[in-house]
Amino acid sequence: MDLFPLWNSLRIAGISTVVIFFVGIFAAYYIAKAPSTVKGVLDVILTLPLVLPPTVVGYLLLRILGPKRIIGSWFLEVFDLRLTMTWWSAIFATTVVIFPLMYRTARGAFESFDETLAYSAQSLGLSNTYIFWRIRMPYCRQGILAGTVLAFARALGEYGATSMIAGYTPGRTATISTTVYQLWRTNDDGLAFKWVMINIAISFVVLLVINLLEKKNVRKGGH
């Protein structure tokens, strides 16, 4: 049994989760403090990938990053770098798809933060950077961690956008999701079922972690 799809899925999900962790927190923090009108508009734009079909996201990415499109052709001509049909092309797809999960969760956590703690810290002469990393983030860590884990799980199981922008090449771009589809298409139900069980096992562990984090958050709120 070739384990490349597992390894490839894990690295794609891991890299995209790291990216959206920082970008999502940055966006959530500043948008949570924005005026309601601006917040509403940006919220719709940034959350849109969450409600769009993954194949639509993949199509739009191809329209931007394809070798005959402006950005894709520029990278191909200048750097001889193709932005589609490689294993890391899937990172573009998973990052766009899972970003709203991290953004919405982090924004909710920041909006529940007791701002009097920040005001008290400012009165003591502490910098905004110190307040953010040493007071705000620890206070919101349970929600942010839950969003991170949920985003990782979503990236691990992403299929629609990934299959369109990265395709399926055994040993090169194959992920768990695309492998299951290809095995089903070629009537290899036995191996497809094994990969399904692996995906279910990983998802079970991820959901278990999220539940544990939520329980800790509830206990913390109770105290």
Side-chain angles (χ1 to χ4, degrees), residues 6-219:
L6 175 60
W7 153 244
N8 195 36
S9 296
L10 288 173
R11 67 176 171 177
I12 290 170
I15 294 171
S16 58
T17 300
V18 171
V19 172
I20 62 98
F21 177 81
F22 293 102
V23 178
I25 286 175
F26 176 84
Y29 175 68
Y30 285 102
I31 291 176
K33 301 169 69 111
S36 59
T37 303
V38 176
K39 183 190 297 185
V41 173
L42 292 177
D43 200 48
V44 169
I45 295 173
L46 296 179
T47 310
L48 195 58
L50 188 64
V51 296
L52 286 176
T55 49
V56 172
V57 174
Y59 173 78
L60 293 175
L61 287 173
L62 286 175
R63 297 280 298 181
I64 298 171
L65 305 177
K68 295 183 179 181
R69 303 300 172 181
I70 296 178
I71 296 178
S73 62
W74 185 80
F75 271 90
L76 192 60
E77 292 175 7
V78 177
F79 302 105
D80 193 26
L81 189 64
R82 189 181 179 90
L83 299 183
T84 58
M85 301 306 156
T86 65
W87 75 264
W88 46 267
S89 300
I91 296 173
F92 299 133
T94 53
T95 298
V96 172
V97 169
I98 70 175
F99 172 81
L101 294 173
M102 186 66 207
Y103 161 71
R104 298 283 296 192
T105 307
R107 205 195 76 184
F110 287 141
E111 288 177 342
S112 66
F113 177 74
D114 185 358
E115 290 295 335
T116 57
L117 297 175
Y119 299 146
S120 299
Q122 288 174 347
S123 67
L124 295 174
L126 298 177
S127 66
N128 289 332
T129 301
Y130 182 93
I131 293 171
F132 180 83
W133 289 109
R134 301 301 295 272
I135 298 176
R136 193 180 299 272
M137 284 294 287
Y139 185 94
C140 303
R141 68 180 181 275
Q142 300 296 345
I144 291 174
L145 285 175
T148 304
V149 175
L150 186 61
F152 175 81
R154 178 66 184 86
L156 197 63
E158 212 296 306
Y159 171 76
T162 298
S163 62
M164 292 190 69
I165 196 170
Y168 172 80
T169 305
R172 290 184 58 192
T173 67
T175 63
I176 294 176
S177 299
T178 56
T179 297
V180 169
Y181 174 76
Q182 290 298 324
L183 291 173
W184 169 81
R185 195 172 63 85
T186 56
N187 295 318
D188 193 347
D189 288 340
L191 192 54
F193 181 74
K194 289 180 181 179
W195 279 115
V196 167
M197 294 307 296
I198 290 173
N199 207 346
I200 290 175
I202 295 174
S203 300
F204 179 84
V205 172
V206 168
L207 291 174
L208 186 62
V209 171
I210 292 175
N211 286 336
L212 290 174
L213 289 172
E214 287 179 347
K215 286 182 180 179
K216 287 184 179 179
N217 200 25
V218 170
R219 289 173 185 171

